[in-house]
Amino acid sequence: MGWFWADASPAPSSGLPSSHPPLAAGSPPPGCPMHKPTVEALSPPAPSCPVKHDAPAPPASGCPVPHGNTSPDTVPERQGLLSKLNPLNYMFSDLSQAPAANQKMALPTTRDESSIPKGSGDGNWEYPSPQQMYNALLRKGYTDTDPTAVESMVAVHNFLNEGAWAEIVDWERRFGRGLSRGWQVSRRGEENAPMELRKIEAREGEAPQPTLVRFQGRPKDMTPKAFMLQLAGWLYPEKFGTEPPFDRHDWFVSRNVDGQQKQIRYVIDYYSGEPEPTGEPVFYLDVRPALTPTAAAERLIRWGGDVWWRASGGEVREQKKQ
């Protein structure tokens, strides 16, 4: 998660949550940064510059630092690490596809394209190749990473990112054209929401496709909802007890509102569930817009519509009508 790569400069721009189905995937191998704070990249063990100066210079659009237009007199002796990171996602922008020093096996250099449109409008986000992922881990200090596990690691991260985006697209389809449309979709509960959405889209058309502007990993910042779930688990462990989320991301999504682009911040909590009988791990993604007045109304409509439909016996009434 958080392993999208930016090749160009950005344009201005109960226990576990039950509403999201579990995602099963291959087990993250040892050294996988999914279980480690991504902000550790901002505190490297040594002050030396992470850019390989003997490597070919990256394209001018790829790195925000004008490496070729500065002189020793104008560059501080110790540049801040943030100056060498891509500002769109706080990842190194010039990672080589070349094998690392002492690397004992070759890793694929193919990069998969995601289904997630960029906010800049120039195509979809791309995931890193296994070789780029391995180079990134080495630069961030994970020198014990097993190269044989990197391909599986990339697959797991790509899988979870695609699942998170699917949740965001579903939310935007409901509320991208206003609260009234969201209520029409949500008023008959979550079970009937897909059918209601299809009927409304057939009549009114689909909401404009959202795009992902940027994202940020915040593994050390627990969301208020996750904190309340942990508090409930401490008070009532048999009913609400669960492990805290192993990661948190904030995704900034562009929503088209009457022809104007509005940026919506989504919050994603990543939970680990009980593994499948086959041993495959299970993940839960709790995806929702960050708590603003509009987002609070959207959350209330979606949650309240489902609770009211079930509590008021909506399914029973539907069966009687039929």
Side-chain angles (χ1 to χ4, degrees):
M1 296 136 23
W3 291 105
F4 296 107
W5 231 257
D7 289 330
S9 299
S13 40
S14 101
L16 294 175
S18 59
S19 59
H20 307 288
L23 303 175
S27 177
C32 176
M34 180 170 61
H35 300 286
K36 299 182 180 181
T38 56
V39 294
E40 288 179 4
L42 306 183
S43 302
S48 59
C49 177
V51 179
K52 292 184 178 179
H53 296 285
D54 58 347
S61 63
C63 181
V65 183
H67 296 284
N69 300 323
T70 58
S71 65
D73 295 333
T74 60
V75 179
E77 182 177 354
R78 289 183 60 191
Q79 293 180 330
L81 181 62
L82 280 177
S83 70
K84 302 176 184 68
L85 301 181
N86 189 304
L88 198 63
N89 56 5
Y90 304 109
M91 291 298 299
F92 291 100
S93 59
D94 67 329
L95 280 174
S96 170
Q97 294 274 27
N102 302 320
Q103 183 176 326
K104 299 184 183 304
M105 62 171 290
L107 289 172
T109 58
T110 303
R111 298 171 61 181
D112 293 333
E113 185 178 90
S114 76
S115 65
I116 307 173
K118 293 182 181 179
S120 57
D122 56 344
N124 291 355
W125 287 84
E126 284 187 306
Y127 296 115
S129 69
Q131 183 64 62
Q132 288 177 312
M133 171 76 85
Y134 185 62
N135 291 341
L137 294 172
L138 295 181
R139 286 195 175 184
K140 294 175 74 173
Y142 304 123
T143 57
D144 61 341
T145 301
D146 182 1
T148 64
V150 174
E151 289 189 66
S152 297
M153 192 185 305
V154 171
V156 170
H157 282 266
N158 296 359
F159 175 77
L160 291 180
N161 278 310
E162 292 293 325
W165 183 247
E167 293 283 349
I168 290 173
V169 169
D170 180 66
W171 198 289
E172 289 295 308
R173 287 176 67 195
R174 294 193 192 206
F175 295 100
R177 286 190 170 177
L179 298 177
S180 175
R181 178 182 172 122
W183 169 247
Q184 291 299 316
V185 174
S186 306
R187 62 191 176 90
R188 296 181 64 241
E190 289 296 295
E191 291 185 3
N192 297 304
M195 178 180 63
E196 292 296 320
L197 184 58
R198 287 194 296 270
K199 291 184 347 188
I200 293 174
E201 287 180 338
R203 184 172 66 249
E204 302 177 0
E206 297 182 3
Q209 172 79 358
T211 60
L212 178 61
V213 179
R214 59 189 176 91
F215 53 90
Q216 182 180 12
R218 300 176 60 184
K220 293 184 178 180
D221 300 331
M222 184 173 288
T223 63
K225 181 177 180 180
F227 174 80
M228 294 303 296
L229 286 173
Q230 290 304 300
L231 180 60
W234 179 72
L235 295 173
Y236 305 101
E238 293 184 359
K239 186 173 183 181
F240 297 104
T242 183
E243 291 294 320
F246 62 79
D247 202 0
R248 173 214 172 148
H249 273 195
D250 287 10
W251 288 20
F252 296 81
V253 173
S254 182
R255 174 187 293 181
N256 187 311
V257 181
D258 297 327
Q260 300 293 322
Q261 295 299 317
K262 181 179 180 181
Q263 198 168 114
I264 309 296
R265 180 167 65 96
Y266 277 82
V267 179
I268 308 170
D269 284 324
Y270 296 82
Y271 292 87
S272 294
E274 290 294 327
E276 296 283 0
T278 57
E280 293 183 343
V282 172
F283 303 102
Y284 293 84
L285 306 184
D286 189 6
V287 183
R288 70 275 188 197
L291 203 56
T292 63
T294 300
E298 292 176 4
R299 288 200 206 182
L300 181 61
I301 287 173
R302 184 166 185 175
W303 174 78
D306 184 59
V307 171
W308 170 253
W309 178 255
R310 290 186 286 109
S312 65
E315 288 297 333
V316 176
R317 293 197 302 272
E318 289 286 315
Q319 293 174 2
K320 288 182 178 180
K321 289 180 181 179
Q322 294 175 359

